[in-house]
Amino acid sequence: MELSGSKASTPDLDELNRRKVGILNGLQDLRERISKEGADAAVHKLISLMQTLKALETQESEFQSDCDAKRSSLEAEVNDLEVKIATGCDGDLDDLNDSLRKTLEKLDSAKKELAARLRAMLSLKRQLDDVPVQSELIQYERRFSELNAHIQEKLQQTRKYYATYNALLEIKELMLKETSLLNSISSQFQDAFASTEGRSKLLDSMEGIVKSSQQKLEKVQLGLQDEQKVYDALKERYAAAITQKRCCYSLLEAFQEECARNERLKNQISAQKKN
């Protein structure tokens, strides 16, 4: 019977070993993917926080059990002494009173120590509550992404309004200059055509105005070309940022799936070890 039992347990052990190897390979692949995407620091920080949380929860449970045991023991001693005093079975009331007083002092001291440790435990709980869990971190990340998108949208609108205002202001100045120039030409036109010299000066003045306007037009066209280059560069950067954002979201989803899968595998291994 013992030999057959040993043979029956060998396939189970082989199956557990194969599952263990599969789990280790999966964890190694996940580590390589995380390292490749440059998310090592965030993952290590999250793992450290989770380990600290579990260790603090274990210490809290052990400390609570120890305090309960001490308190029960001291209360039992007090009750025993009270019963002895009530029944008068000891005969020496002074010794009992002295023993009861010392026990009560020990109980008060233990209560004070318990209260101090409970305060420390509550402080640790508050610190643990301040540490965000994985779901909270994901939620914070989404909210920050939404806030960043909202800020970027408002910034673009503000820049657009400023650009429109500056363009309209420049158009206004050009129109005022054009109006002033036309008024000046209109006022001098009759006097200029009264003599040959006046007509010659008027033609020279008009040629200078045309040349100045042509230079301003070339300057504006050069500025437009520079703005177009900046626009094209920003467009390329935006496309690259969108691609990187999609890659980050894909990596985050894969990381969450791997975490859930790892947790399921741990639970399965724990259940198999118990069985």
Side-chain angles (χ1 to χ4, degrees):
M1 294 300 292
E2 293 180 355
L3 183 59
S4 62
S6 177
K7 291 181 179 179
S9 63
T10 302
D12 294 338
L13 182 59
D14 294 338
E15 180 66 21
L16 288 175
N17 289 330
R18 283 195 297 272
R19 290 184 179 181
K20 182 177 180 181
V21 171
I23 292 170
L24 292 175
N25 291 333
L27 290 175
Q28 184 64 29
D29 293 338
L30 179 60
R31 290 191 183 99
E32 291 177 357
R33 289 179 61 187
I34 291 172
S35 178
K36 185 182 296 183
E37 296 296 336
D40 292 340
V43 172
H44 289 321
K45 183 177 180 181
L46 181 59
I47 293 174
S48 177
L49 289 173
M50 293 176 67
Q51 291 176 351
T52 304
L53 177 61
K54 290 181 180 180
L56 289 174
E57 288 177 349
T58 303
Q59 292 179 5
E60 176 187 352
S61 177
E62 293 176 353
F63 174 70
Q64 188 66 34
S65 300
D66 186 39
C67 289
D68 291 339
K70 288 183 178 179
R71 183 173 182 176
S72 300
S73 176
L74 290 173
E75 288 179 350
E77 290 182 7
V78 171
N79 292 332
D80 187 30
L81 289 173
E82 288 178 349
V83 170
K84 288 182 179 180
I85 292 172
T87 56
C89 60
D90 197 3
D92 192 354
L93 188 59
D94 293 335
D95 292 339
L96 287 175
N97 288 332
D98 185 63
S99 178
L100 177 62
R101 180 179 57 78
K102 291 180 180 179
T103 304
L104 289 174
E105 290 176 355
K106 290 172 62 178
L107 179 60
D108 292 337
S109 177
K111 286 182 178 180
K112 291 178 180 179
E113 182 181 358
L114 177 61
R117 294 199 176 187
L118 285 175
R119 287 193 295 270
M121 185 175 63
L122 291 175
S123 177
L124 288 176
K125 282 186 176 181
R126 285 193 294 269
Q127 293 179 11
L128 289 175
D129 293 336
D130 292 338
V131 177
V133 297
Q134 183 180 2
S135 59
E136 292 177 342
L137 290 174
I138 295 172
Q139 187 176 4
Y140 291 157
E141 182 181 2
R142 290 177 179 174
R143 293 295 178 268
F144 279 123
S145 298
E146 294 174 359
L147 180 60
N148 184 47
H150 182 69
I151 292 174
Q152 292 298 325
E153 182 180 358
K154 288 294 183 182
L155 179 61
Q156 290 178 1
Q157 290 180 357
T158 304
R159 287 177 175 174
K160 181 179 178 181
Y161 292 150
Y162 271 102
T164 303
Y165 174 78
N166 292 330
L168 292 175
L169 185 61
E170 187 175 357
I171 291 173
K172 177 186 174 182
E173 292 176 354
L174 291 175
M175 291 180 69
L176 290 175
K177 290 180 180 180
E178 183 179 358
T179 303
S180 177
L181 180 61
L182 290 174
N183 290 331
S184 177
I185 293 173
S186 177
S187 64
Q188 296 177 5
F189 187 78
Q190 295 297 331
D191 297 336
F193 273 85
S195 63
T196 305
E197 184 179 356
R199 288 195 296 270
S200 177
K201 288 181 179 180
L202 179 61
L203 289 175
D204 292 338
S205 177
M206 295 296 294
E207 288 178 356
I209 292 172
V210 172
K211 185 177 181 180
S212 177
S213 300
Q214 188 67 31
Q215 290 176 353
K216 289 182 179 179
L217 179 61
E218 292 176 356
K219 184 178 180 181
V220 171
Q221 288 177 348
L222 290 175
L224 180 61
Q225 292 177 0
D226 293 337
E227 291 291 334
Q228 186 64 36
K229 291 179 181 179
V230 173
Y231 171 76
D232 294 338
L234 290 175
K235 189 175 181 180
E236 292 178 359
R237 288 177 59 188
Y238 177 75
I242 290 296
T243 304
Q244 188 177 7
K245 180 180 179 181
R246 291 175 180 172
C247 181
C248 289
Y249 278 132
S250 177
L251 178 62
L252 180 61
E253 292 178 358
F255 176 70
Q256 293 174 358
E257 292 176 359
E258 291 296 333
C259 287
R261 180 171 173 269
N262 187 22
E263 193 67 26
R264 289 195 301 269
L265 291 174
K266 284 182 179 179
N267 293 334
Q268 290 178 4
I269 292 174
S270 300
Q272 289 175 359
K273 286 182 178 180
K274 291 179 180 179
N275 294 332

